[in-house]
Amino acid sequence: MEHVTRRNVLKATAGAGALLAAGSATPWTWSPAGSVPGTGTGADPKKAWDPEPDELIADVYKRGDVGKVNRALRAWTKNEQPLPAGLSGDLRDFVERSRRLPAWADRDKLADAVTFNQKRGTYLGALYGFASGMMSAVIPHEARAVYYSRGGAQMKDRISKTAKLGYDIGSLNAYAPSGEMSVTCVKTRLIHSAVRHLLPQSAHWSSVSGQTVPITQADMMVTWHSLPTTVMRMLNRWKVPLKHAESEGFLHSWQVAGHMLGIEDQYIPATWATAETQAKQVLDPVLKATPEGIEIADMLRDLGMQLDLTLLSRGVLGSLTRFMLGDKIANDLRIPREPVWDPLLNAAWGPFILVREGVLQAGMPKEAYWTFDEMLRQFVLLYMAELRMPISIELPGGNNPHYK
């Protein structure tokens, strides 16, 4: 694949910034009546960010305190753990408030989410990786923000930290005092503020993004839909039988996560039906490959090579992307067809999932069932191997050094 150089990116995206800027003028019509609180201003989320932490983190950079803040937060890993010393008073107060669950959080629903995750945790990990993870490559704002920020130069590290979010929300004690989900959300929220501060300083990002400041409320909702909404779409497509309480619990766990990541409550859908309505407005229309996204997809398909040269080769990861996200996205990302894996996934993946759900007996060749099961096991090992090491979500020192 042709390497994405500065010249290639600028040439290929000469009109993209204007196109995205024009697209941002599309009126926001989703009603806050469909949100968790059922009310709101109805303000366009494409013109809103996360002002309180944005101002605090901008001050951290201006004071030259990035290292100091990172050293302090490195020791904070558990939801109810006292905050370490070393944070300025204003930042400490913000983190202390932001680590608390919203008043509308329902512990019973969060318990149902645990049951949901227990039943299908292994292939939920695959969905987060192959569907949600690869979808990020065709979300233009997200792909460009990743590519030109520090994460674009440290893709494995960036993916490990993203995987931690999926791992923490699926853990048995996600939001419990001994869990880590609240910590992960707050630290990720601070990282978003850091990227908002740093990326506008990148002439490369500014020339192609069509934005003045990245990671708007709308961008965060697009990413949110690439996770729970996309997962639920897949489960429905495979006709996975879901108990109502467990499905609602899964949604609620992500509603809470959205709030804790800094999304305004008025944009967080109250039900799966309103989530689907919103996704059709904010997610589906924006999916498009960019030179940056093509390069990111190429890097993502290489991640499995270091674990297993057969089961998690580029071909398998590409085929799973095609199966999960469809031919158009796979073709746009320049992912070739796989003569063995493509038909096997189309024929046997659905029955495999239903066997795992206990709905069907193993009515497929044992070799196919074992291959899928082993593939999932290896996929989990790939990410869990990273998660067994301490992963510190920290403020970046700058943007992608390859694009100064």
Side-chain angles (χ1 to χ4, degrees):
M1 189 189 79
E2 182 183 6
H3 180 64
V4 180
T5 64
R6 178 190 178 195
R7 179 175 295 180
N8 289 337
V9 169
L10 295 179
K11 179 179 178 181
T13 59
L19 178 62
L20 287 171
S24 68
T26 303
W28 171 251
T29 59
W30 191 80
S31 171
S35 68
V36 168
T39 187
T41 64
D44 190 339
K46 294 187 289 295
K47 300 176 182 178
W49 289 266
D50 196 7
E52 186 178 5
D54 289 356
E55 293 175 7
L56 291 172
I57 293 301
D59 285 342
V60 167
Y61 279 93
K62 290 173 184 175
R63 296 194 302 261
D65 285 347
V66 171
K68 179 181 178 182
V69 170
N70 283 337
R71 285 191 295 273
L73 290 179
R74 201 171 293 156
W76 179 47
T77 60
K78 302 297 181 183
N79 295 338
E80 292 300 319
Q81 179 184 346
L83 292 180
L87 298 177
S88 61
D90 51 2
L91 183 57
R92 184 183 185 87
D93 290 344
F94 171 78
V95 173
E96 193 65 65
R97 282 184 283 106
S98 301
R99 72 194 291 191
R100 305 301 173 192
L101 300 187
W104 45 263
D106 186 321
R107 290 289 183 181
D108 290 335
K109 288 185 176 181
L110 292 177
D112 288 332
V114 170
T115 304
F116 180 97
N117 289 317
Q118 280 180 309
K119 288 183 175 179
R120 45 195 66 89
T122 302
Y123 64 83
L124 273 179
L127 279 168
Y128 288 142
F130 298 128
S132 305
M134 291 297 284
M135 184 176 283
S136 67
V138 286
I139 299 173
H141 285 173
E142 184 171 350
R144 287 176 172 135
V146 169
Y147 192 80
Y148 293 108
S149 68
R150 189 73 181 181
Q154 300 173 327
M155 188 57 66
K156 184 181 177 184
D157 180 68
R158 197 261 182 185
I159 291 300
S160 296
K161 291 172 181 175
T162 302
K164 179 171 170 56
L165 182 72
Y167 175 77
D168 288 344
I169 199 171
S171 65
L172 300 182
N173 60 348
Y175 294 105
S178 61
E180 300 185 9
M181 186 59 182
S182 298
V183 176
T184 297
C185 284
V186 173
K187 288 185 177 181
T188 301
R189 186 176 180 183
L190 297 179
I191 295 300
H192 287 168
S193 291
V195 172
R196 292 190 195 100
H197 175 74
L198 292 170
L199 260 188
Q201 302 172 33
S202 167
H204 304 279
W205 175 82
S206 297
S207 68
V208 299
S209 69
Q211 294 181 295
T212 55
V213 179
I215 317 180
T216 65
Q217 288 284 321
D219 292 332
M220 289 192 284
M221 280 313 305
V222 170
T223 299
W224 188 92
H225 284 296
S226 74
L227 291 154
T229 307
T230 298
V231 166
M232 188 54 60
R233 284 175 168 181
M234 294 293 175
L235 296 180
N236 288 333
R237 191 177 94 188
W238 300 333
K239 297 181 172 56
V240 174
L242 302 172
K243 291 185 178 180
H244 178 74
E246 294 173 12
S247 173
E248 292 300 299
F250 177 63
L251 172 62
H252 191 65
S253 69
W254 278 103
Q255 290 169 331
V256 172
H259 172 94
M260 300 192 75
L261 287 165
I263 298 173
E264 294 180 24
D265 289 354
Q266 67 168 324
Y267 302 126
I268 302 174
T271 66
W272 284 118
T274 55
E276 184 64 30
T277 299
Q278 191 187 81
K280 289 178 179 177
Q281 179 176 356
V282 303
L283 173 68
D284 298 345
V286 305
L287 298 180
K288 179 182 178 180
T290 60
E292 297 87 351
I294 292 169
E295 181 76 359
I296 287 172
D298 188 64
M299 289 187 280
L300 290 176
R301 282 183 290 148
D302 273 344
L303 291 180
M305 293 291 286
Q306 50 200 285
L307 179 71
D308 187 304
L309 295 178
T310 55
L311 287 176
L312 283 177
S313 67
R314 285 174 59 87
V316 176
L317 294 176
S319 190
L320 277 162
T321 301
R322 182 177 295 277
F323 176 72
M324 300 270 188
L325 300 182
D327 287 337
K328 183 181 186 305
I329 287 178
N331 292 340
D332 287 348
L333 292 175
R334 302 180 188 175
I335 295 174
R337 292 185 179 275
E338 297 293 329
V340 174
W341 278 99
D342 288 357
L344 180 60
L345 285 167
N346 287 327
W349 183 267
F352 165 75
I353 294 298
L354 295 180
V355 168
R356 271 189 158 269
E357 289 282 334
V359 176
L360 293 177
Q361 299 299 314
M364 68 182 79
K366 291 182 179 180
E367 293 79 10
Y369 184 90
W370 179 88
T371 298
F372 286 157
D373 216 44
E374 179 68 2
M375 181 177 64
L376 289 175
R377 187 183 71 83
Q378 295 280 19
F379 177 79
V380 170
L381 282 176
L382 173 65
Y383 287 99
M384 293 308 107
E386 297 294 329
L387 293 175
R388 279 196 290 269
M389 302 296 293
I391 292 178
S392 185
I393 301 175
E394 302 185 355
L395 303 178
N399 292 315
N400 190 329
H402 303 307
Y403 292 91
K404 294 182 178 179

